[in-house]
Amino acid sequence: MSASRFPKFLKPDDESFASERDAAPADDHVTSFVFNAHQSLNLAAQRERLPIRQYRDQILYCLEHYQTLVLVGETGSGKSTQVPQYLYEFGWHTKGLIGITEPRRISAITLADRVATERGELCGETVGVSIRFISKCDPAQTKIKYMTEGILLREMLADPLLTQYAVIMVDEAHERNTLTDTALGLLKKIARKRPNLRIIISSATVDAELFRDFFNLKSKGAAKDTAVILTVEGRMYAQEIFYLRDPCPDYVKETVNTVMKIHRAEGKGDVLAFLTGQEEVLRAVDLLREHVEASGKEDMQILPMYGTLSNADQLKVFFTAPKGVRKVVLATNIAETSVTIPGIVYVIDCGFVKLKWYSADSTTDSLVVVPVSKAAAEQRAGRAGRIRSGKVYRLYTEEAWEKLPEHTPPEMRRSDLCSTVLFLKALGIDNILHFTFPSPPPAKNLLACLETLYALEALDAEGQLTSPVGYFLAEMSIPPMMAKMLYKAGEMGCSEEILIIIAMLQVQSVFSKPAGGQTAIRGRIAKRNFEVAEGDLITLLNVYCAFVESGRTKEFCGRNFLIYRNLKRAHEIKTQLAGMLERELNIPLLSAGGNVETICRCIVAGFFPYAAYLHHSGVYRTVRGNTELSIHPLSALYTEQQPQWVVFCELIHTTKLFMKDLTVIQQQWLPEIAPHYYHKVTVRDHLL
């Protein structure tokens, strides 16, 4: 840190990243909270205490002699913040940028802020950050650049070989989301063309051999590998692992019973129990509190831990329990790798995990509970034995353990691939089937996305990108159906309104949900003031317009139970998209002037594959596929008379298939707007 540097201060109420920083994550396994056990020390002392510090020379040696380094280390070891600084101190920044990709925007922002603070700077100088729609980088000064994986992929469109980068570090690679796998596949191709590029794959789990073998470019007869593994070891104690003799019928009740047995029979030490989701965690919390109340003793502190919990409540699990009280943490799989809770001696593993799964047949995302993988189970077991020897209780038999899969299926194999295929096509990779993914996706998922892109007129009959539609959809950093809707908006004269709708769909819910009582009733009444019979997207348009007309004030949001941060973020996204449309894509900004039918027809132009009609049985069915659907309870149409025809933006399968973000349409619009996809047939034609 430079002693001559004057202190710099942000202006009061600076909220440039507010909605990303403070928004609750959508998935249970995601958390934005980082616990720092050495927070009371100065920054230099904190850096020296990190486990990664003693491996500094080995990391630099490996990067001098190998093109790819697979760096394995526990959460909190310092990989994400210290390795880029070691590279900078060693002079790698003189060869090009040091880029670090993160799977989530909040991770990129907080890590860049942390590293800038350690260097005595503000973010945007030597250390920069770039996320979708926002960039804090100085072309002349920035040498360490944190970004989301999507930003790196976008940069490849302009510079396919990433020539401005000397080092690329793919952080949290064990999460294996679609963008991570796409980036890894492309980096392997770049590495063949650029032997001087260094790649670091940072992971917290034991997939190291897969990553090393994938990036090992050694040709036949060569004496030296091009990839190497380095493990940053933390201090671990022995663990005892116990299994059930017989399978249990209800793992939530068995978790509660196991906690009570540990509490009665075992010595001091906190308990960490893994369950699949927020509902199960809260159910187990209630059951345990009933046990505590029945015993009449206050010797157990019961704490939930899941991704959408507020930071203040997440913080509670890191504090030491009062003397004579055992802390019991009931957590989703965020506690596997995202956070490390001190004091844990006993771990209970329910044996299951909740994953999002894509069905190519119905084009739906389902939240499904599946058996945990061996790698994830080992990661859970590793939470015990940090401070002394621990015990792990697995709520399944040893025979069941042997049958578990080795690894959790990566997201590439269980998600919609439209955006991925569109991007690869834009890069000039025509034969998607021969592209080297770390884990190739199922053929039926690829076929489903190719059909969708062909229907959107982004691909022609030979599978090539069309001009201008295909290139426009690939250029936009939004889902293809939204991009097609925006493309059509320029022709239909409603691009201003469609931009607002897209911006509102990019942020989380703008409606706050007060917890119970009269406040919850007032919140529901306030939401009804914005809702319209045309559906959810026009409702969002109403909210935004009212927000802008009021001067974009917090007071307006407070009176109407709206979330100011998310509306402010939507306004920023809309402004940036508008600038891009006029400046780069030559699409005029036009307003429909209150003509709602034009806006609804434009929505159909993008989302026509997601059309549904009201069947005479009282349920909705998709026009193609005949799948039964229901209106989501949070929709503006949920309490209204059911419309005959709708299009939706998303399907989610929980207790049943729900349509989200609906718009009411007319039947005749479908063959008019998408004649290549829909056509009318008479009963006679159908019988013939």
Side-chain angles (χ1 to χ4, degrees):
M1 185 186 301
S2 173
S4 63
R5 182 182 293 276
F6 290 105
K8 295 183 180 179
F9 301 96
L10 294 174
K11 66 181 180 181
D13 200 30
D14 189 307
E15 294 183 328
S16 54
F17 287 132
S19 60
E20 279 84 12
R21 187 187 301 279
D22 301 328
D27 299 326
D28 278 334
H29 67 280
V30 175
T31 181
S32 60
F33 184 80
V34 179
F35 176 71
N36 182 3
H38 306 297
Q39 194 165 3
S40 59
L41 303 176
N42 64 50
L43 291 176
Q46 287 183 39
R47 291 187 67 190
E48 291 299 318
R49 293 287 186 94
L50 291 168
I52 196 83
R53 179 64 183 86
Q54 59 186 306
Y55 293 89
R56 178 183 182 274
D57 294 341
Q58 290 92 322
I59 290 168
L60 295 172
Y61 175 86
C62 288
L63 286 173
E64 282 289 314
H65 293 83
Y66 295 89
Q67 188 172 11
T68 302
L69 167 63
V70 182
L71 186 61
V72 183
E74 292 290 346
T75 302
S77 60
K79 305 185 301 296
S80 307
T81 57
Q82 302 309 303
V83 171
Q85 293 188 74
Y86 297 158
L87 294 170
Y88 184 89
E89 292 161 5
F90 196 66
W92 276 94
H93 66 284
T94 60
K95 305 175 184 179
L97 282 176
I98 300 166
I100 308 95
T101 71
E102 297 292 335
R104 295 182 291 279
R105 292 176 296 179
I106 186 67
S107 304
I109 294 164
T110 53
L111 289 171
D113 282 344
R114 174 68 187 188
V115 174
T117 302
E118 289 184 3
R119 292 183 52 78
E121 304 172 357
L122 284 179
C123 184
E125 297 178 8
T126 305
V127 183
V129 60
S130 182
I131 62 174
R132 187 171 62 162
F133 303 125
I134 286 183
S135 178
K136 282 192 173 182
C137 295
D138 186 322
Q141 290 189 70
T142 299
K143 299 299 181 183
I144 300 174
K145 182 177 179 180
Y146 284 86
M147 58 193 148
T148 53
E149 290 146 343
I151 293 295
L152 182 71
L153 293 177
R154 290 282 150 193
E155 291 189 5
M156 289 182 190
L157 289 174
D159 182 11
L161 293 180
L162 297 176
T163 52
Q164 61 177 324
Y165 289 93
V167 183
I168 297 287
M169 178 175 176
V170 181
D171 202 12
E172 306 287 357
H174 58 271
E175 294 196 6
R176 298 299 303 279
N177 63 44
T178 303
L179 291 175
T180 302
D181 276 16
T182 306
L184 292 176
L186 290 167
L187 285 172
K188 180 177 180 178
K189 293 177 75 70
I190 293 171
R192 293 185 186 278
K193 298 286 186 181
R194 287 191 58 199
N196 60 334
L197 176 69
R198 293 297 182 263
I199 300 168
I200 303 173
I201 310 299
S202 171
S203 176
T205 54
V206 291
D207 284 345
E209 290 81 8
L210 182 147
F211 292 133
R212 181 198 60 197
D213 296 342
F214 181 73
F215 277 97
N216 192 1
L217 306 178
K218 181 177 72 171
S219 58
K220 289 183 179 179
K224 183 182 175 184
D225 291 333
T226 62
V228 66
I229 298 172
L230 179 64
T231 303
V232 178
E233 296 181 355
R235 190 177 181 190
M236 292 293 292
Y237 295 86
Q239 306 159 358
E240 288 184 82
I241 297 179
F242 302 92
Y243 296 91
L244 292 180
R245 291 194 183 93
D246 301 300
C248 64
D250 186 337
Y251 57 79
V252 177
K253 287 184 178 178
E254 190 64 30
T255 298
V256 172
N257 294 337
T258 306
V259 169
M260 296 309 299
K261 289 173 185 175
I262 292 171
H263 188 54
R264 295 190 191 107
E266 297 289 350
K268 291 181 179 179
D270 296 335
V271 181
L272 172 61
F274 286 98
L275 294 167
T276 68
Q278 178 180 337
E279 300 83 5
E280 291 179 2
V281 166
L282 295 177
R283 181 181 157 207
V285 167
D286 291 339
L287 290 173
L288 275 174
R289 283 176 178 162
E290 287 177 11
H291 280 287
V292 171
E293 289 172 7
S295 69
K297 298 179 181 177
E298 296 291 334
D299 56 352
M300 189 188 297
Q301 183 183 29
I302 304 155
L303 299 169
M305 182 69 171
Y306 48 86
T308 54
L309 205 61
S310 68
N311 277 9
D313 289 328
Q314 287 186 31
L315 182 62
K316 293 177 184 176
V317 305
F318 298 97
F319 293 148
T320 304
K323 190 174 182 181
V325 176
R326 189 193 302 272
K327 180 171 66 179
V328 177
V329 179
L330 298 157
T332 60
N333 53 332
I334 66 169
E336 277 180 28
T337 57
S338 298
V339 294
T340 300
I341 302 171
I344 299 298
V345 176
Y346 307 101
V347 166
I348 302 170
D349 179 5
C350 74
F352 292 92
V353 65
K354 186 179 287 186
L355 296 176
K356 183 180 280 191
W357 211 281
Y358 174 76
S359 167
D361 299 325
S362 59
T363 65
T364 61
D365 281 321
S366 302
L367 285 172
V368 294
V369 176
V370 297
V372 73
S373 66
K374 287 184 178 178
E378 293 288 355
Q379 192 69 28
R380 290 178 175 185
R383 304 293 99 181
R386 293 299 183 90
I387 57 173
R388 60 182 175 86
S389 56
K391 294 182 178 181
V392 180
Y393 299 85
R394 289 176 172 160
L395 304 184
Y396 42 92
T397 62
E398 199 161 0
E399 292 76 19
W401 160 259
E402 297 297 334
K403 296 176 183 177
L404 290 178
E406 290 295 328
H407 299 289
T408 304
E411 190 183 21
M412 179 66 73
R413 297 188 58 81
R414 50 185 176 84
S415 64
D416 179 22
L417 299 171
C418 282
S419 296
T420 303
V421 169
L422 202 59
F423 176 78
L424 293 176
K425 289 282 185 183
L427 274 178
I429 299 170
D430 292 327
N431 195 336
I432 304 296
L433 296 176
H434 285 177
F435 183 73
T436 53
F437 290 108
S439 300
K444 63 178 182 180
N445 288 17
L446 270 176
L447 181 61
C449 90
L450 289 172
E451 288 177 349
T452 301
L453 292 174
Y454 180 68
L456 291 173
E457 300 174 320
L459 299 180
D460 59 22
E462 279 73 45
Q464 303 298 316
L465 271 184
T466 58
S467 180
V469 178
Y471 285 97
F472 178 87
L473 268 58
E475 184 73 24
M476 300 301 294
S477 56
I478 54 178
M481 288 186 185
M482 289 188 195
K484 180 62 183 293
M485 180 172 69
L486 186 55
Y487 179 82
K488 284 291 185 183
E491 299 175 4
M492 300 173 78
C494 57
S495 49
E496 186 81 34
E497 288 83 359
I498 294 299
L499 265 184
I500 293 169
I501 289 171
I502 290 173
M504 292 290 277
L505 289 172
Q506 300 305 302
V507 299
Q508 295 182 15
S509 175
V510 294
F511 298 104
S512 63
K513 300 171 188 173
Q518 290 297 316
T519 311
I521 296 172
R522 291 201 303 273
R524 178 63 188 147
I525 293 171
K527 184 181 178 184
R528 294 291 295 175
N529 291 334
F530 295 105
E531 291 177 346
V532 290
E534 287 83 1
D536 300 309
L537 300 192
I538 308 301
T539 297
L540 291 176
L541 178 61
N542 279 350
V543 171
Y544 180 90
C545 292
F547 174 65
V548 172
E549 287 172 7
S550 71
R552 308 200 306 272
T553 63
K554 290 183 179 180
E555 291 74 22
F556 170 81
C557 294
R559 288 196 307 271
N560 292 280
F561 293 87
L562 300 173
I563 301 173
Y564 173 74
R565 289 191 306 270
N566 291 356
L567 278 166
K568 180 174 179 287
R569 179 76 184 112
H571 178 71
E572 292 168 356
I573 293 172
K574 187 257 179 184
T575 304
Q576 298 223 358
L577 277 175
M580 183 190 301
L581 280 187
E582 290 188 308
R583 186 175 60 252
E584 299 173 18
L585 302 172
N586 200 27
I587 289 184
L589 272 180
L590 303 170
S591 173
N595 189 336
V596 178
E597 181 177 322
T598 300
I599 300 169
C600 292
R601 287 174 66 91
C602 188
I603 292 168
V604 173
F607 287 95
F608 61 84
Y610 287 174
Y613 68 98
L614 184 61
H615 193 257
H616 61 75
S617 61
V619 299
Y620 283 92
R621 291 180 184 270
T622 53
V623 179
R624 295 183 60 153
N626 217 27
T627 306
E628 287 194 3
L629 308 171
S630 300
I631 295 177
H632 196 279
L634 294 179
S635 170
L637 302 176
Y638 185 67
T639 56
E640 299 294 318
Q641 182 178 352
Q642 292 180 305
Q644 191 63 39
W645 289 81
V646 296
V647 293
F648 53 88
C649 296
E650 182 184 4
L651 280 181
I652 194 75
H653 190 182
T654 50
T655 54
K656 52 186 175 180
L657 272 173
F658 288 110
M659 299 179 286
K660 294 184 67 179
D661 300 321
L662 289 92
T663 303
V664 178
I665 66 168
Q666 300 296 322
Q667 177 186 359
Q668 64 269 22
W669 294 353
L670 293 173
E672 285 177 18
I673 295 172
H676 61 290
Y677 201 78
Y678 297 107
H679 63 275
K680 285 186 177 181
V681 295
T682 64
V683 174
R684 180 176 175 275
D685 293 335
H686 185 69
L687 291 174
L688 289 174

